[in-house]
Amino acid sequence: MKEGLNIIVCVKQVPDPEGPPSAFEVDSESKKVIPKGIPPVMSPFDENALEAALRIKDEAACKVTVLSMGKRLAKPVLRKSLAVGADELILLEDNSFEGLDPYWTAITLSSAIKRIGTYDLVLTGRQASDWNAAQVGPGISEILKIPSVTLARKVELREDGVIVERVLPNGYEVIKAPIPSLVTVSNELGDLRYAGIKEIKAVQNKPITTLCASDLKVDLSQTDQIKLLKLYPPVWDRKCNFIEGQDAQEIGVALALKLRVDKVV
Amino acid sequence: MNLDKYEKDFNHCLHCHLCYVANWHTIDGWMPICPSAAYFGFESFYASGRIEITRGIVEGKITEATDRLMKIIYSCTGCGACREQCHSLSGFKADHLQLFVDLKAKYVEEGELIAEHMAMIDGLKREDNVLGEPKEDRGKWAEGLDIKDINKEKVDVIFHAGCRLSYDKELWPIVRGAVTLLKDAGVDLGMAGAEESCCGGRVYEIGYLGEAKKYAEDLVGRVKASGATKLITSCSDCYDAFKRIYPALEQDMDVEILHITEYINRLIREEKIKPVKEVPMKITYHDPCHLGRISGVYNAPRSILHSISGIELLEMRRSKENSLCCGAGGGVMEAYSDFTMWTAKERIIEAKETGAKAIVTACPWCERNFKDAIKEMGEDFEVYDVIELLMQAI
């Protein structure tokens, strides 16, 4: 495996998707999902992407830089990336970064990646666990004009390119892409390694770089092209009907007929 | 987390500092009862200080989650002493316990997290216990005891061991003794074994309310499916979670919830358990906060101890409502171990002053903390659970 490479991992901060349903309050008025009683976490697919980077680092010396953007980022949460082995954490923090759609998110992240300058591989999760758009990764590759491979279950860096095992519905395919490329990582790659108390504490005061919109020279004045028109929780209407009959056979027949009438079977 | 609802509370707090001291009407002298106030000294570490901090947050005067602020907020052990003293001495009826949990929950929602708690939550998510121990080892404490599996069989009584007792091997005699006593008394008993999960109480106390609710929902579903009529636990923290925290999380169980001392005491009264052997020992009893002050169970453990011939129970100056916390609760043991150890040592010194040769309690977190403190102190002093002493009398 090639040494001295630079890997950039894009990580999104999201409300903990493992919280109970009641922890996600939908405010139809403001069209926002308001998390209650749960902490922000790194999006699980982005954790898979970080794990992919760390596995490459396990095999050969390389630098792993984690990039995250938002309005007000939770530093203790994102520092976890350093605790598990990333070398640098760059936060893109600005009020104007709140609620950006995937297009503008990709533009902003691409600007930061260009500012970093040297990179051989960009990794993202296959999609974020909050909106599940799956557009930012491929969007970055378009803007940076580099190839992208989606849904990776294994990523390997070699002298002459990146080898990706890509998940298919009934198996996987092996793809070779040049360096630099962007790869979106799926959960099949495996969970992010565990950070113990010692590792988490050790990075709490490690310096991190923070950049704002003006540092990145991105013009976010016209970011309202895509509008969320309606946001509402699904309404589940349950009705319970008791099928009556003289015996089990009669009840069974009546049930089958009822299911057919209701077009369930 | 909206803290505006506490506006009345922080406007009513007179900063009289009665939340810091034990009730001097019932004990002889002036003794601190809030561990964090006693250890750190500044008023910010008193309940009144934390209430004032809440005011500062609500009024927008405190905006930055500094390390110092986090330490003040997270060094509350959740022992409930401030609420008890405030209610009984000043008549001010704020719910300090809930206020301080909500204060922590606000910072959890904002991602201002304590490193040690993050590691604990990661371990919990992976292994379903707050110690981060392997999930498959959870039921090992009961090996060879032939306890029914509630996932396969209907039972009348579910025994919930809890995280600490499931994994702290030195404490296994407590749970093994408890289920042996129940089985011998003819109780139709079952447990979830490796499928048992954390009750969620500890994570609720450190402000991870969503995580707590997830575990509460899981446990309530399991209990309902079992068809049991009673849920028994030897852990005071779990007991408080089932009795107080679950209803706060809108998770109710239609079963009788009993701490092991309550149930065993009932079985002794019904003469289904008979302590016959003499256990000559001078002891003192430490009320675990979650069982005593918060849940009001003071008499059942003492009644069991009185049923054992030879036991001489000597009360500490601070006991029952005035009991001093062991220092292990509220996530403090994980985050500020020096403070926890100091508190436990204070309690051991007080216990020894009674002339007792052992301190007895009814909570595995207290027992673990006291054992560690005594080891550090190099003292010749024993720690027992009520059940361990009862087993000596059977």
Side-chain angles (χ1 to χ4, degrees):
Chain A
M1 192 177 285
K2 196 174 174 182
E3 295 213 346
L5 292 168
N6 289 291
I7 304 171
I8 296 172
V9 186
C10 300
V11 170
K12 186 176 185 182
Q13 176 185 307
V14 297
D16 187 355
E18 291 178 26
S22 58
F24 300 90
E25 194 177 289
V26 176
D27 183 356
S28 299
E29 191 94 355
S30 64
K31 301 190 202 72
K32 284 182 178 172
V33 177
I34 300 164
K36 298 274 184 189
I38 51 171
V41 296
M42 294 196 280
S43 181
F45 291 122
D46 296 345
E47 285 199 343
N48 301 137
L50 179 55
E51 176 60 25
L54 297 173
R55 287 184 192 175
I56 293 169
K57 190 182 170 186
D58 289 341
E59 297 296 319
C62 61
K63 184 183 178 187
V64 176
T65 302
V66 170
L67 204 55
S68 188
M69 65 173 281
K71 181 187 174 186
R72 189 177 171 185
L73 294 168
K75 292 171 186 66
V77 173
L78 295 164
R79 279 184 193 277
K80 186 177 158 189
S81 62
L82 299 172
V84 290
D87 300 285
E88 190 178 4
L89 174 61
I90 300 176
L91 302 182
L92 315 179
E93 250 185 333
D94 200 292
N95 285 343
S96 63
F97 293 162
E98 187 185 19
L100 289 183
D101 64 32
Y103 176 72
W104 288 101
T105 302
I107 286 178
T108 308
L109 287 168
S110 299
S111 298
I113 293 168
K114 284 177 190 168
R115 186 186 159 107
I116 293 168
T118 313
Y119 57 91
D120 300 285
L121 180 64
V122 179
L123 297 172
T124 69
R126 59 181 282 180
Q127 65 206 71
S129 68
D130 50 0
W131 293 102
N132 293 303
Q135 293 179 22
V136 170
I140 293 170
S141 77
E142 282 291 318
I143 295 163
L144 296 178
K145 296 184 172 33
I146 59 174
S148 70
V149 182
T150 56
L151 302 174
R153 55 166 238 172
K154 188 177 179 185
V155 186
E156 195 179 329
L157 265 182
R158 293 186 183 166
E159 294 286 343
D160 56 344
V162 55
I163 308 294
V164 180
E165 286 184 11
R166 183 176 183 275
V167 177
L168 295 174
N170 298 315
Y172 67 94
E173 58 186 354
V174 182
I175 293 172
K176 185 178 178 184
I179 292 174
S181 283
L182 181 139
V183 177
T184 76
V185 181
S186 191
N187 55 298
E188 287 85 353
L189 184 128
D191 290 339
L192 178 62
R193 60 199 61 191
Y194 183 71
I197 293 174
K198 196 177 157 192
E199 290 81 19
I200 294 174
K201 285 191 85 167
V203 300
Q204 288 309 303
N205 294 314
K206 193 173 176 180
I208 51 179
T209 305
T210 305
L211 302 172
C212 61
S214 60
D215 294 324
L216 300 173
K217 297 185 174 61
V218 286
D219 178 10
L220 298 173
S221 58
Q222 292 183 337
T223 56
D224 56 350
Q225 290 143 312
I226 294 177
K227 287 191 174 69
L228 180 62
L229 299 180
K230 195 176 177 186
L231 184 71
Y232 57 95
V235 179
W236 300 101
D237 191 17
R238 288 183 183 178
K239 285 180 185 168
C240 183
N241 293 324
F242 286 92
I243 307 292
E244 293 181 353
Q246 294 294 325
D247 52 32
Q249 188 179 357
E250 194 179 313
I251 293 169
V253 170
L255 174 62
L257 289 172
K258 172 74 175 160
L259 292 174
R260 184 178 293 173
V261 169
D262 289 348
K263 295 181 179 173
V264 178
V265 293
Chain B
M1 175 56 67
N2 181 10
L3 299 172
D4 292 356
K5 59 188 170 187
Y6 294 111
E7 189 177 354
K8 187 180 169 191
D9 297 335
F10 49 70
N11 282 332
H12 278 69
C13 176
L14 300 172
H15 298 264
C16 64
H17 297 176
L18 296 179
C19 53
Y20 163 62
V21 290
N23 190 334
W24 64 89
H25 296 298
T26 53
I27 68 168
D28 177 23
W30 184 269
M31 298 182 81
I33 197 166
C34 168
S36 78
Y39 182 71
F40 294 101
F42 294 102
E43 199 209 336
S44 49
F45 288 89
Y46 291 38
S48 58
R50 294 190 180 98
I51 290 173
E52 195 62 19
I53 284 167
T54 311
R55 179 211 293 275
I57 292 165
V58 169
E59 293 179 354
K61 291 172 184 167
I62 297 174
T63 54
E64 197 182 343
T66 61
D67 289 347
R68 182 71 172 170
L69 182 69
M70 291 291 98
K71 189 165 193 172
I72 292 167
I73 291 169
Y74 282 93
S75 58
C76 169
T77 59
C79 72
C82 54
R83 184 175 68 174
E84 180 73 31
Q85 304 313 319
C86 190
H87 286 198
S88 64
L89 295 171
S90 79
F92 172 42
K93 300 294 182 192
D95 188 349
H96 302 64
L97 272 178
Q98 195 58 49
L99 196 166
F100 299 149
V101 164
D102 286 351
L103 190 54
K104 292 172 184 174
K106 170 198 154 55
Y107 285 105
V108 167
E109 286 176 359
E110 292 177 4
E112 298 293 353
L113 310 175
I114 301 287
E116 291 83 351
H117 293 170
M118 287 173 71
M120 180 166 78
I121 295 293
D122 275 357
L124 177 67
K125 283 183 171 181
R126 282 167 191 261
E127 306 292 351
D128 288 335
N129 67 82
V130 290
L131 302 171
E133 295 289 338
K135 183 173 173 58
E136 62 267 24
D137 293 347
R138 181 136 190 153
K140 281 191 173 174
W141 64 267
E143 274 178 0
L145 293 176
D146 193 25
I147 311 292
K148 283 184 184 175
D149 181 351
I150 64 162
N151 302 301
K152 296 174 184 166
E153 295 176 81
K154 295 281 180 192
V155 295
D156 182 43
V157 176
I158 297 176
F159 184 83
H160 179 88
C163 298
R164 171 58 67 183
L165 284 166
S166 291
Y167 293 106
D168 194 331
K169 284 185 182 175
E170 203 182 345
L171 305 184
W172 281 4
I174 299 170
V175 261
R176 289 181 68 85
V179 295
T180 303
L181 284 168
L182 296 179
K183 275 190 73 181
D184 291 350
V187 174
D188 179 22
L189 188 71
M191 56 179 264
E195 294 301 312
E196 182 186 289
S197 293
C198 174
C199 68
R202 179 59 52 94
V203 293
Y204 181 87
E205 290 191 319
I206 62 171
Y208 287 74
L209 309 189
E211 200 64 25
K213 186 161 187 175
K214 202 170 72 181
Y215 281 96
E217 284 174 351
D218 176 72
L219 196 138
V220 167
R222 203 182 295 276
V223 169
K224 282 180 178 171
S226 74
T229 64
K230 295 178 190 68
L231 175 62
I232 312 292
T233 181
S234 288
C235 176
S236 295
D237 281 26
C238 297
Y239 176 75
D240 176 45
F242 301 148
K243 292 277 274 195
R244 177 179 66 96
I245 295 174
Y246 280 23
L249 293 169
E250 298 167 341
Q251 298 298 310
D252 292 309
M253 293 180 278
D254 190 20
V255 292
E256 188 181 13
I257 298 160
L258 293 162
H259 186 262
I260 188 71
T261 55
E262 292 179 296
Y263 196 37
I264 294 279
N265 188 42
R266 182 188 294 178
L267 294 171
I268 290 172
R269 287 204 313 270
E270 290 170 0
E271 296 189 345
K272 290 177 181 167
I273 293 175
K274 293 174 184 168
V276 289
K277 293 182 191 164
E278 190 172 348
V279 183
M281 197 185 299
K282 282 185 178 179
I283 59 151
T284 188
Y285 177 71
H286 165 81
D287 290 280
C289 301
H290 290 90
L291 184 66
R293 188 160 41 227
I294 295 173
S295 302
V297 179
Y298 300 115
N299 293 330
R302 286 178 172 81
S303 181
I304 294 172
L305 293 171
H306 285 307
S307 74
I308 303 170
S309 172
I311 289 284
E312 186 181 347
L313 177 58
L314 305 161
E315 293 286 355
M316 285 182 270
R317 288 176 72 193
R318 288 173 290 190
S319 71
K320 297 184 178 176
E321 293 88 348
N322 286 312
S323 183
L324 179 70
C325 176
C326 77
V332 172
M333 186 188 210
E334 292 79 7
Y336 308 111
S337 54
D338 289 351
F339 164 42
T340 290
M341 201 42 51
W342 176 85
T343 311
K345 287 175 183 174
E346 286 289 300
R347 194 59 167 158
I348 294 300
I349 291 166
E350 187 179 358
K352 289 193 75 175
E353 283 172 358
T354 63
K357 299 296 174 198
I359 185 168
V360 181
T361 188
C363 172
W365 295 94
C366 301
E367 181 158 350
R368 167 47 54 211
N369 207 21
F370 288 145
K371 280 181 184 292
D372 292 346
I374 289 166
K375 195 176 174 186
E376 267 200 26
M377 294 164 86
E379 295 281 357
D380 179 22
F381 200 60
E382 297 297 326
V383 189
Y384 295 106
D385 187 275
V386 172
I387 299 302
E388 288 175 296
L389 279 192
L390 181 59
M391 288 299 287
Q392 290 185 29
I394 299 296

